[in-house]
Amino acid sequence: MANKIRLGIPKGSLQDATISLFKCAGWNIYADGRSYFPSIDDKEIECMLIRAQEMARYVEHGVLDAGLTGIDWVVESGLNVTSITSLTYAKQSRRKVRWVLAVPEGSGFEKAEDLEGKTIATELVGVTKNYFANKGVNVKVEFSWGATEVKPPMLADAIVEVTETGSSLKANRLTIIDTVMESETHLIASQAAANDPWKREKIESIALMLRAAIDAQAQVGLMLNVQRQHLQKILEVLPALNSPTISELSNPAWVAVNTILEEPSVREVIPRLKAAGATGIVEYPLNKVVL
């Protein structure tokens, strides 16, 4: 389709986080809960809701030009798609998720090798089989249709399940004994779209803005005024993204300093700036950071 890309938005646990990310990046996606074709305020994009597990299939087949899905499902599918960029966000956090090998508390299983001849339940069947094969452990891997955490010990001896915090596993009295793989969301494209100059440029522009929105979420802007004689002390305090911007003020004895910081560091940096002679310190949120 000329001058339009068909973009897959992951339906399910990633849907709200993805739509929110697009909003931060500058696109408004409107999903009414009934249609699988949400609208978007960009005439060059046509959206479709697709389960993350199926995204690579429809991208590889050319039904979609691009889509967002976990790299775990791309690996599991074994299909030939192009990863445009990684985007570290999940349902609850801005960090990678893990597929972990978990066993019932008190089961006596401490490592993968202890599960020789046992049954493993998981949605990630192919990756799990490869994991145990690489360790030389013979197990029976069964596909789980959901609620995997409740299957041990009656329906399975262990599970391979995805987790962000591990809280659900703990609530079901399961213990993590190994990480099978880490995963994060990727923007993927079909080979045909990647080879089409217009589509490739459009998809890479989307990737740039999504990446910028994610990078901005973890950072804040900081501006302040300082007497020139104290400037070096201020610069020694600031962990800048590249280097702070120093601007002249109407009073030649003073300068303005503008920089970007990791948000968690601000609570420690501002008191040190104040002690070093800074005044008029202002923290402000960022929408996008393009590196």
Side-chain angles (χ1 to χ4, degrees), residues 8-25:
I9 303 297
K11 182 174 177 58
S13 61
L14 274 180
Q15 181 176 328
D16 290 345
T18 300
I19 291 174
S20 177
L21 177 60
F22 268 84
K23 184 174 180 61
C24 292

Side-chain angles (χ1 to χ4, degrees), residues 126-200:
V127 170
T128 299
K129 286 182 176 179
N130 289 337
Y131 164 82
F132 280 102
N134 289 336
K135 290 180 174 293
V137 179
N138 296 310
V139 296
K140 180 182 180 183
V141 179
E142 294 184 341
F143 178 75
S144 173
W145 291 94
T148 307
E149 298 100 323
V150 304
K151 294 188 174 177
M154 293 182 63
L155 303 177
D157 298 293
I159 64 171
V160 171
E161 179 66 328
V162 67
T163 183
E164 287 185 54
T165 65
S167 58
S168 180
L169 295 172
K170 288 180 181 178
N172 286 281
R173 302 182 65 184
L174 295 171
T175 299
I176 296 171
I177 61 173
D178 199 7
T179 296
V180 174
M181 76 172 297
E182 288 188 330
S183 181
E184 59 188 336
T185 306
H186 279 228
L187 176 61
I188 61 173
S190 67
Q191 294 297 313
N195 292 331
D196 180 288
W198 184 88
K199 289 184 177 181
R200 178 80 187 214

Side-chain angles (χ1 to χ4, degrees), residues 110-121:
E110 297 181 352
K111 56 186 183 300
E113 289 76 5
D114 295 337
L115 292 164
E116 177 74 30
K118 303 300 183 181
T119 299
I120 316 298

Side-chain angles (χ1 to χ4, degrees), residues 25-262:
W27 285 276
N28 291 301
I29 298 175
Y30 306 96
D32 64 10
R34 295 182 297 274
S35 173
Y36 280 80
F37 298 93
S39 60
I40 184 170
D41 58 350
D42 186 330
K43 66 182 188 307
E44 296 177 341
I45 302 176
E46 185 178 277
C47 292
M48 184 176 182
L49 292 174
I50 296 289
R51 285 177 58 83
Q53 294 92 325
E54 301 179 292
M55 191 71 71
R57 181 200 314 167
Y58 293 114
V59 170
E60 197 266 352
H61 291 172
V63 177
L64 299 170
D65 295 305
L68 293 100
T69 187
I71 194 63
D72 46 359
W73 298 117
V74 175
V75 174
E76 176 73 6
S77 73
L79 296 172
N80 185 24
V81 295
T82 299
S83 175
I84 302 299
T85 189
S86 60
L87 301 163
T88 307
Y89 74 97
K91 179 182 178 180
Q92 300 175 347
S93 63
R94 296 192 300 266
R95 59 186 178 189
K96 293 181 179 181
V97 298
R98 294 188 299 150
W99 284 89
V100 298
L101 176 60
V103 299
E105 293 178 359
S107 65
F109 302 129
E110 297 181 352
K111 56 186 183 300
E113 289 76 5
D114 295 337
L115 292 164
E116 177 74 30
K118 303 300 183 181
T119 299
I120 316 298
T122 185
E123 288 185 75
L124 205 69
V125 172
V127 170
T128 299
K129 286 182 176 179
N130 289 337
Y131 164 82
F132 280 102
N134 289 336
K135 290 180 174 293
V137 179
N138 296 310
V139 296
K140 180 182 180 183
V141 179
E142 294 184 341
F143 178 75
S144 173
W145 291 94
T148 307
E149 298 100 323
V150 304
K151 294 188 174 177
M154 293 182 63
L155 303 177
D157 298 293
I159 64 171
V160 171
E161 179 66 328
V162 67
T163 183
E164 287 185 54
T165 65
S167 58
S168 180
L169 295 172
K170 288 180 181 178
N172 286 281
R173 302 182 65 184
L174 295 171
T175 299
I176 296 171
I177 61 173
D178 199 7
T179 296
V180 174
M181 76 172 297
E182 288 188 330
S183 181
E184 59 188 336
T185 306
H186 279 228
L187 176 61
I188 61 173
S190 67
Q191 294 297 313
N195 292 331
D196 180 288
W198 184 88
K199 289 184 177 181
R200 178 80 187 214
E201 182 178 2
K202 181 68 176 181
I203 294 169
E204 287 183 343
S205 294
I206 294 171
L208 174 68
M209 299 306 290
L210 293 175
R211 180 77 263 163
I214 286 179
D215 289 341
Q217 289 174 359
Q219 301 176 88
V220 295
L222 203 67
M223 56 184 176
L224 55 94
N225 296 331
V226 63
Q227 289 185 335
R228 237 178 242 281
Q229 61 182 333
H230 300 311
L231 179 58
Q232 187 56 42
K233 291 182 180 178
I234 294 297
L235 296 180
E236 291 172 359
V237 170
L238 289 175
L241 180 66
N242 287 307
S243 59
T245 299
I246 314 297
S247 305
E248 301 288 336
L249 295 177
S250 57
N251 183 339
W254 288 75
V255 294
V257 179
N258 203 326
T259 192
I260 294 175
L261 302 177
E262 295 291 332

